[in-house]
Amino acid sequence: MTESIHISADPAARPLRPIGDGRSALQLRGVRKAFGPNTVLDGIDLDIESSELVCVIGPSGSGKSTLLRSMIFLEPYDEGEIYVEGRLLGYTIRDGKRRRDREAMIDHVRRGIGMVFQQFNLWPHMTALEQVALPLRLTKKMARHEANDRAAAMLAKVGLSDKADQYPARLSGGQQQRVAIARALALHPSIMLFDEPTSALDPELVGEVLQVMRRLAHEGMTMVVVTHEMGFASEVADRVVFMDGGRIVEQGPPGRLFSAPSSPRLRAFLETWRDRQPRM
């Protein structure tokens, strides 16, 4: 079923969830990133609170995916600091100078972060169960039977118990993305990052992936979601962040941002998005 395109401006339409203890799961301070002469992140300041779901929206090329990749240090940032639960990610400060940290320490700091990408990144020669179990055996050094048990539990969590023995070629796009989510969840992350998780899916498969993400949100998972699914952002997000030109232009509760944006750039973006929606 295709995800609804209705945007709810009424906060009462969204279930209320406790946001946590006020401790930031992620802190970004003055984060900058450039590719050659192209500045893609231009001084990003952002706090993500424990148990908060933040949706990041904006036009193509605004820096959304680079922001997410920086949060897990798949893209080393050039300036600023990113803290994961209070620990500096990617760098160490010695004698007042910033140096890239050892890979073992980088992995240690980011081990509580899971990420789901646009593409499913599944191994074609492995079953759904094996896709989820292998990282547990490699990174957690689990015995095969223990890894298989946890993998089976994670597949059940995303509604794929009956697909455990299927290879990717026998799964729909939505099912493949749910396997990818199960694989990330199996490592028990405290923070989940989603980079346009439905963009590679046919419209009728979008809903099944978003439903899994809704359940994670209701369970209190800290989530940062780069998305073009405005209905999902409106219904589920605690906060929406609008980016353009590598900067955060506006952020706040979805009810306010979607119904009464204060920046002309966000108003224009939403008008363009609405113009592209099919007429009912």
Side-chain angles (χ1 to χ4, degrees):
M1 183 174 63
T2 303
E3 174 71 0
S4 170
I5 62 171
H6 171 67
I7 295 218
S8 171
D10 179 7
R14 296 167 47 250
L16 296 177
R17 299 188 296 113
I19 298 299
D21 57 8
R23 178 173 56 87
S24 291
L26 285 165
Q27 292 178 301
L28 286 74
R29 295 290 181 268
V31 173
R32 297 180 183 275
K33 173 68 180 179
F35 295 107
N38 254 350
T39 297
V40 290
L41 298 178
D42 191 8
I44 299 292
D45 293 312
L46 182 65
D47 284 3
I48 308 295
E49 194 177 338
S50 178
S51 299
E52 187 179 22
L53 193 161
V54 175
C55 283
V56 183
I57 64 171
S60 298
S62 59
K64 305 184 302 295
S65 291
T66 302
L67 176 67
L68 225 61
R69 292 173 66 85
S70 295
M71 289 177 177
I72 199 170
F73 211 68
L74 292 178
E75 288 291 354
Y77 50 98
D78 300 329
E79 298 178 29
E81 296 88 33
I82 295 179
Y83 295 91
V84 180
E85 297 179 331
R87 296 170 296 179
L88 181 62
L89 172 64
Y91 299 98
T92 184
I93 308 296
R94 292 178 186 169
D95 302 323
K97 295 181 179 179
R98 190 179 79 162
R99 296 179 174 86
R100 181 169 173 135
D101 218 339
R102 294 178 293 111
E103 292 303 316
M105 184 55 66
I106 293 172
D107 287 340
H108 177 74
V109 173
R110 68 183 174 190
R111 67 182 177 181
I113 305 177
M115 186 162 181
V116 177
F117 300 87
Q118 298 177 29
Q119 303 300 326
F120 319 128
N121 298 329
L122 300 183
W123 296 292
H125 61 290
M126 290 186 180
T127 65
L129 185 76
E130 291 167 339
Q131 307 275 350
V132 181
L134 182 60
L136 293 170
R137 293 169 56 196
L138 294 178
T139 64
K140 301 289 188 182
K141 308 303 181 186
M142 284 187 175
R144 184 184 295 270
H145 72 277
E146 185 182 3
N148 286 348
D149 286 348
R150 184 182 292 186
M154 291 301 102
L155 289 173
K157 188 178 184 70
V158 300
L160 290 177
S161 290
D162 59 335
K163 303 295 182 182
D165 295 327
Q166 296 294 320
Y167 292 92
R170 300 293 301 272
L171 300 174
S172 70
Q175 290 167 342
Q176 290 184 57
Q177 190 62 292
R178 284 189 280 158
V179 172
I181 293 172
R183 181 171 59 188
L185 290 175
L187 296 172
H188 286 177
S190 55
I191 303 164
M192 283 286 288
L193 309 178
F194 292 85
D195 186 8
E196 295 279 15
T198 61
S199 65
L201 301 179
D202 292 332
E204 65 269 19
L205 302 177
V206 168
E208 64 187 68
V209 173
L210 294 183
Q211 188 57 39
V212 170
M213 295 169 65
R214 286 189 178 92
R215 287 201 297 269
L216 293 176
H218 290 310
E219 291 170 5
M221 174 68 74
T222 305
M223 299 165 66
V224 184
V225 184
V226 169
T227 185
H228 61 273
E229 299 290 343
M230 302 297 176
F232 173 81
S234 172
E235 295 164 14
V236 183
D238 299 299
R239 180 162 41 118
V240 174
V241 172
F242 173 66
M243 289 186 66
D244 190 36
R247 299 180 178 180
I248 294 176
V249 176
E250 189 172 350
Q251 61 179 304
R256 179 180 66 76
L257 254 71
F258 288 129
S259 62
S262 60
S263 65
R265 185 65 190 92
L266 177 54
R267 285 198 297 272
F269 173 79
L270 292 174
E271 287 169 6
T272 300
W273 177 82
R274 290 187 177 104
D275 288 344
R276 291 176 178 170
Q277 301 312 300
R279 304 298 178 189
M280 302 301 290

